[in-house]
Amino acid sequence: MGQTIQIEKANSLKEKPDVSNIKFGTVFTDYMFSSHYTPEHGWETPTITPYKNLELSPALQSIHYGQSVFEGLKAYKSGDDILLFRPEENFKRLNRSLERLSMPKINEEDAIKALKELLQLEKDWVPDGPGQSLYIRPFVFADEPFLGVRPSRTYRFLIILSPVAGYSGAALDPTSIYVEDEYVRAVRGGIGNAKAAGNYAASLLAQQKANNLGYEQVLWLDGVHQEYIEEVGSMNIFFVRNGEIVTPELNGSILEGITRKSIIELAEYKGYTVKEERVHIDDFLKGVQDGSISEVFGAGTAAVISPIGRMNIHDTDYIINDNQPGDVAKDLYDHYTEIQYGRLEDPFGWVQKA
Amino acid sequence: MGQTIQIEKANSLKEKPDVSNIKFGTVFTDYMFSSHYTPEHGWETPTITPYKNLELSPALQSIHYGQSVFEGLKAYKSGDDILLFRPEENFKRLNRSLERLSMPKINEEDAIKALKELLQLEKDWVPDGPGQSLYIRPFVFADEPFLGVRPSRTYRFLIILSPVAGYSGAALDPTSIYVEDEYVRAVRGGIGNAKAAGNYAASLLAQQKANNLGYEQVLWLDGVHQEYIEEVGSMNIFFVRNGEIVTPELNGSILEGITRKSIIELAEYKGYTVKEERVHIDDFLKGVQDGSISEVFGAGTAAVISPIGRMNIHDTDYIINDNQPGDVAKDLYDHYTEIQYGRLEDPFGWVQKA
Ligand SMILES: Cc1ncc(COP(=O)(O)O)c(C=O)c1O
Ligand SMILES: Cc1ncc(COP(=O)(O)O)c(C=O)c1O
């Protein structure tokens, strides 16, 4: 990339939907960004075109052999400005994912410039209702047409945009989770800490099992012992134990969430004690039983913070904090989202204009 | 499916290539089969069309969340006949992969009928040189355009065909392998025993590491202990110990190879003792050092049997059987391929006409 971005204008624009009534990730804006990689020229032909279908080979490497990684972040409306939250973190992680899957890295600065140019063109698509935002999906996939287990020679980098209300339900509505001890999401030495397409497909059966048993999300245990807490659904997990905030330490199979990282920094700034440690499910269970664990919540870009009100651990149901959002979750959620929407001072330099 | 297959004829056919000069998986035939799944109608509109690019959404579920599985089998030329080798096993395994990834199953009989109809149309594409065949790639991928971690509602099932000489190099050319003890391919509870796209992307970095160290393939250890032998590259592994044939027992993370299963049956039929057991890498190493292990080979559809002549175990290089194909490997390879090409009697009912 690095070159000027070619822009191909659309003949007509779509009607903007009522964002409060659309499902997450189903409506896309008028334009998308794309760039193509060849071993000879690297990333080139950065282009903004109307959002449209792609013409892809039935032997597409990413469909057959799965070289495909993505990112997820959001743009927020603040008066006439569009704000981004730590976008450099997303493109850094995209590069870590790309490396893990033997894919060529992108230039992080060029990617942010491209994103900002796209957002300028699409600024009317950033919704301004409460909790609303424009979800940004950068992704890279292998597009060489061949069958064989080796890295693709060619790739595409795209950014598409989708206006969203919130990931699901109202903000801070408590969710229910099922502790999964049969299926495994990821294991150290694997690709759990990459945002790779294959990880998500691998998680669906456990998700369905949890749903069938009456729970909304899966709590994943580690792949080696199936005893240590890792993540909840597609979020990192936090809990409050004796007033301190605890989250599982990064171990190679947990995805390094940007919300996780930012929540830790914000909580420490606000005077909480935060501990990153290996958490055995039975120690966790004891804390739930004896009341030392007073709150549990997930953290991720989509919902920011998602309180957990009900948990199935070893086939027994436990209610956390009367199935209500806890004080710590509420405190962090409010502060965090106020920073994201530019309504509270940002002492961390997290927020930038698009 | 079940319905009559619509056939759309091509206006012109491609020139057939010299198969001995093409790379595996890069040349495709004139036609492909496809069918589409919706929750309302199941699998429908089975169609044979000219092989051509697909129009797919940039929000394609399989690119973002990886619901994509495949199979690989071959058609062999025998006089005027085209032979298939245990195709029902491939479609059975496809259904197991589909289930594991929360995807809708196909009808196995309809799929075999569709494959045979496609092969009849493409019979001139089945090459007849020594070791040559027509590689068959059935695959299913999610094609709903949306962003979110849930199973897709719609899917495509395709079959594409590619004439091949052999997977790589000459038949029975010994290969070299590196025992990987950092990266992990799969773990029990995961999707290692599904032929899912994501597994292959996850394996590439270790493959590159092995290549950089001067080895052709990776020997994968189990994901839990990183101590038990699982597979080699994209093949199952066998070895000969004190004249007996040994292969790691299936454990949920090893792919259930059809070649593996058939080699076991053929070897027993020929009077060999075959053992399926959990194999610790250090026991294996001892056998290599004291000479009780006399042959090591991989087994898979692409190469059938691939002798292993050199191995790096715990950073030391070992030469197996003077880096020559062993007698057991040769014996099984010859018998197996003669059955596949219809030149030797098939006492198992493995071979059928297309
Ligand atoms: C598996 C998984 N864990 C955690 C997260 C949270 O990461 P982030 O806070 O960067 O959105 C995500 C992404 O949303 C995820 O997919
Ligand atoms: C990971 C893996 N293991 C083993 C095999 C061998 O399976 P089969 O004998 O059915 O080709 C394959 C496929 O070729 C594979 O992809």
Side-chain angles (χ1 to χ4, degrees), chain A residues 132-347:
Chain A
Q132 297 179 351
S133 56
L134 187 65
Y135 183 75
I136 299 162
R137 169 59 56 96
F139 61 109
V140 182
F141 66 95
D143 76 342
E144 192 183 343
F146 80 98
L147 304 179
V149 187
R150 64 152 172 83
S152 176
R153 274 189 266 268
T154 60
Y155 296 86
R156 296 197 199 192
F157 170 38
L158 273 79
I159 304 177
I160 59 178
L161 306 172
S162 175
V164 295
Y167 200 74
S168 65
L172 291 180
D173 241 7
T175 178
S176 56
I177 63 179
Y178 177 83
V179 176
E180 176 56 49
D181 49 21
E182 175 189 3
Y183 298 118
V184 166
R185 192 193 83 92
V187 66
R188 58 87 190 82
I191 60 170
N193 59 354
K195 255 181 113 68
N199 288 335
Y200 298 84
S203 77
L204 298 173
L205 196 58
Q207 175 69 33
Q208 287 190 307
K209 177 180 158 193
N211 294 161
N212 291 341
L213 292 166
Y215 301 86
E216 287 175 72
Q217 304 272 356
V218 169
L219 188 146
W220 296 104
L221 300 177
D222 76 289
V224 177
H225 309 92
Q226 299 185 290
E227 285 173 0
Y228 296 94
I229 291 179
E230 297 221 321
E231 304 198 42
V232 55
S234 311
M235 294 183 286
N236 294 108
I237 187 166
F238 285 82
F239 54 94
V240 180
R241 187 184 59 202
N242 299 320
E244 296 179 340
I245 297 174
V246 186
T247 189
E249 66 187 12
L250 299 176
N251 61 357
S253 57
I254 291 175
L255 188 84
E256 300 184 27
I258 293 157
T259 315
R260 176 187 181 282
K261 178 175 175 166
S262 308
I263 287 282
I264 292 174
E265 293 175 49
L266 176 65
E268 286 175 341
Y269 170 83
K270 289 173 74 76
Y272 292 100
T273 299
V274 183
K275 292 193 165 147
E276 300 178 62
E277 56 186 55
R278 198 159 92 143
V279 182
H280 196 289
I281 182 67
D282 289 339
D283 294 331
F284 179 85
L285 173 57
K286 230 176 283 164
V288 168
Q289 287 171 329
D290 69 19
S292 55
I293 291 178
S294 54
E295 296 184 34
V296 185
F297 54 89
T301 295
V304 183
I305 282 182
S306 180
I308 290 154
R310 192 164 65 91
M311 296 186 69
N312 182 308
I313 310 175
H314 301 333
D315 292 327
T316 304
D317 233 31
Y318 298 91
I319 300 294
I320 317 284
N321 195 41
D322 282 334
N323 204 11
Q324 296 300 318
D327 292 338
V328 177
K330 276 192 287 194
D331 183 27
L332 292 171
Y333 177 85
D334 288 343
H335 202 142
Y336 198 87
T337 52
E338 292 290 291
I339 292 176
Q340 285 182 321
Y341 284 90
R343 292 188 293 251
L344 260 187
E345 202 213 319
D346 167 21

Side-chain angles (χ1 to χ4, degrees), chain A residues 25 52-58 63-66 68 70 102 137 139 146-147 184 188-189 197 201 205 208 223-224, chain B residues 25 52-58 63-66 68 70 102 137 139 146-147 183-184 188-189 197 201 205 208 223-224:
Chain A
K52 60 171 183 236
N53 281 346
L54 309 171
E55 217 198 287
L56 300 170
S57 165
I63 287 183
H64 293 267
Y65 298 102
S68 186
F70 67 92
S102 304
R137 169 59 56 96
F139 61 109
F146 80 98
L147 304 179
V184 166
R188 58 87 190 82
L205 196 58
Q208 287 190 307
V224 177
Chain B
K52 60 170 182 239
N53 281 347
L54 309 171
E55 216 196 289
L56 300 171
S57 165
I63 286 183
H64 293 266
Y65 298 102
S68 187
F70 67 92
S102 304
R137 169 58 57 96
F139 61 108
F146 81 98
L147 304 179
Y183 298 118
V184 165
R188 57 87 191 83
L205 197 58
Q208 287 189 307
V224 177

Side-chain angles (χ1 to χ4, degrees), chain A residues 68-109:
Chain A
S68 186
V69 301
F70 67 92
E71 271 304 324
L73 67 163
K74 285 176 171 178
Y76 307 88
K77 189 101 183 168
S78 171
D80 285 342
D81 292 329
I82 296 164
L83 302 181
L84 287 169
F85 186 81
R86 309 188 86 174
E88 63 286 352
E89 292 289 335
N90 290 91
F91 291 104
K92 252 193 243 172
R93 186 171 63 188
L94 183 61
N95 270 339
R96 292 200 301 272
S97 299
L98 287 167
E99 264 195 305
R100 181 60 187 85
L101 274 85
S102 304
M103 299 165 73
K105 293 210 257 183
I106 53 138
N107 180 303
E108 295 165 24
E109 278 173 35

Side-chain angles (χ1 to χ4, degrees), chain A residues 65 149, chain B residues 70-73 89-90 93 135 137 167 185 192 194-196 199-200 220 230-237 253-262 299-304 336:
Chain A
Y65 298 102
V149 187
Chain B
F70 67 92
E71 271 303 325
L73 68 161
E89 292 289 334
N90 290 90
R93 185 170 64 189
Y135 183 76
R137 169 58 57 96
Y167 199 67
R185 191 193 83 92
K195 255 182 111 69
N199 288 335
Y200 297 85
W220 297 102
E230 297 221 321
E231 304 200 41
V232 53
S234 312
M235 294 183 287
N236 294 109
I237 187 166
S253 57
I254 292 175
L255 189 84
E256 301 185 27
I258 293 157
T259 315
R260 176 187 181 281
K261 178 174 174 166
S262 308
T301 295
V304 183
Y336 198 88

